[in-house]
């Protein structure tokens, strides 16, 4: 038996990286997965991979930054499957640049996709979550803003700090219904987005400062989401968990440089 047998899960940003790995892992554990992604082609690749492995999945080509599109997707999911048990909100739009260089349009898009959509998905799915024996709302967050500041990512850090507020507040408010709300804060993770924004040399230099000395794998983040979606995590809510190779502990400095012996 899988840990999510019979459950219906929506995974936003499910076409690549962490979302793709999470959708595939959930399906392998018995969930029916709706892969929600703005760009249809990578989302369909995720669906095809799940179907080829014997799982159950379908594609919802959706811009989660569009309020009405979210409402329609949730309603269609409930109508088709009769229930919604898990939402993983992983979709993101990440404008990068120093203060004064990110346009209002990009800032608004980031907030719509990353923050407002978390509220919209929760609000629209709430009637179905209340009927679920174990409703789970899960969000991809970040250590940026919450545990450390990163130059050029002030806007993103502010967004993820707001996500922490959402997780804590919604976790408290929805707990009486048996619905849990949690987030994972991934560190540097080996995804399409990482390679699109950093050179190999930059990735290597950044990884060298991580205590575990490497980027994370999307599958490692997906394993965290699986645990939080499972019955085993039923007593955990309103929390944000780091899966970051120790990055939030500080920079990895050789013992000799710290005046210690290895």
């Amino acid at each position: 038996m899988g840990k999510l047998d019979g459950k219906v899960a929506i995974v936003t940003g499910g076409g690549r990286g962490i979302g793709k790995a999470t959708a595939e892992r959930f399906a392998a554990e018995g969930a029916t997965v709706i892969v929600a992604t703005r760009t249809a082609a990578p989302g369909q690749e995720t669906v095809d991979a799940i179907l080829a492995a014997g799982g159950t999945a379908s594609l919802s080509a959706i811009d989660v930054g569009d309020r009405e599109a979210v409402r329609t997707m949730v309603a269609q999911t409930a109508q088709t499957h009769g229930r919604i048990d898990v939402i993983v909100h992983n979709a993101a739009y990440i404008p990068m640049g120093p203060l004064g260089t990110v346009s209002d349009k990009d800032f608004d898009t980031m907030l719509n996709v990353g923050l407002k959509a978390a509220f919209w998905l929760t609000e629209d799915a709430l009637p179905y979550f209340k009927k679920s024996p174990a409703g789970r709302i899960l969000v991809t967050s970040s250590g940026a803003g919450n545990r450390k500041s990163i130059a050029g990512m002030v806007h993103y850090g502010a967004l993820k700090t707001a996500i922490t507020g959402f997780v804590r507040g919604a976790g408290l408010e929805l707990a009486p219904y048996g619905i849990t709300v949690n987030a994972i804060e991934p560190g540097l993770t080996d995804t399409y987005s990482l390679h699109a924004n950093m050179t190999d040399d930059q990735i290597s230099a950044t990884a060298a400062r991580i205590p575990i000395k490497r980027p994370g794998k999307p599958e490692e983040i997906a394993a965290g989401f699986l645990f939080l979606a499972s019955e085993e995590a039923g007593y955990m809510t309103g929390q944000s968990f780091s899966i970051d190779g120790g990055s939030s502990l500080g920079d990895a400095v050789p013992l000799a440089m710290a005046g210690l012996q290895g």
Side-chain angles (χ1 to χ4, degrees):
M1 290 183 60
K3 292 184 178 182
L4 301 180
D5 279 348
K7 301 293 179 63
V8 174
I10 296 172
V11 179
T12 71
R16 295 188 175 105
I18 292 169
K20 176 179 174 65
T22 300
E24 292 179 352
R25 185 65 190 275
F26 278 23
E29 292 289 340
T32 295
V33 181
I34 290 79
V35 178
T37 179
R38 184 174 62 86
T39 306
Q44 189 60 53
E45 289 177 4
T46 301
V47 170
D48 291 344
I50 290 172
L51 297 178
T56 304
S58 61
L59 173 67
S60 179
I62 174 181
D63 176 3
V64 296
D66 182 320
R67 179 68 185 93
E68 290 306 314
V70 171
R71 182 177 285 118
T72 298
M73 178 191 66
V74 170
Q76 289 177 343
T77 299
Q79 182 177 13
T80 300
H81 301 286
R83 61 190 294 170
I84 299 173
D85 303 281
V86 183
I87 288 177
V88 180
H89 181 39
N90 172 72
Y93 180 77
I94 309 174
M96 298 178 65
L99 287 167
T101 66
V102 174
S103 70
D104 286 346
K105 180 179 179 181
D106 281 343
F107 193 25
D108 287 344
T109 299
M110 183 193 74
L111 292 174
N112 286 343
V113 172
L115 179 62
K116 290 183 182 179
F119 282 87
W120 298 337
L121 288 160
T122 300
E123 292 165 2
D124 294 343
L126 191 54
Y128 312 105
F129 275 127
K130 288 180 177 179
K131 298 176 184 179
S132 173
R136 301 283 189 265
I137 299 165
L138 307 173
V139 188
T140 301
S141 188
S142 174
N146 289 301
R147 301 179 192 271
K148 60 183 178 181
S149 297
I150 301 174
M153 299 188 74
V154 178
H155 302 78
Y156 182 71
L159 165 71
K160 293 306 183 181
T161 303
I163 282 291
T164 297
F166 165 78
V167 167
R168 290 173 59 83
L172 176 64
E173 188 169 318
L174 300 181
Y177 303 103
I179 301 166
T180 65
V181 187
N182 292 292
I184 287 178
E185 298 174 352
L188 189 75
T189 307
D190 190 7
T191 64
Y192 171 89
S193 178
L194 177 67
H195 290 276
N197 289 289
M198 297 177 69
T199 66
D200 289 346
D201 286 345
Q202 289 172 328
I203 293 170
S204 296
T206 304
R209 302 179 71 91
I210 298 172
I212 291 184
K213 300 295 186 184
R214 64 171 177 84
K217 302 173 184 177
E219 292 77 12
E220 291 173 313
I221 313 303
F225 277 130
L226 174 62
F227 171 68
L228 292 174
S230 72
E231 294 183 4
E232 296 167 317
Y235 202 56
M236 303 167 67
T237 195
Q239 305 302 312
S240 296
F241 301 92
S242 291
I243 302 180
D244 65 359
S247 295
S248 54
L249 304 176
D251 284 344
V253 178
L255 294 179
M257 292 179 62
L260 302 172
Q261 297 297 317

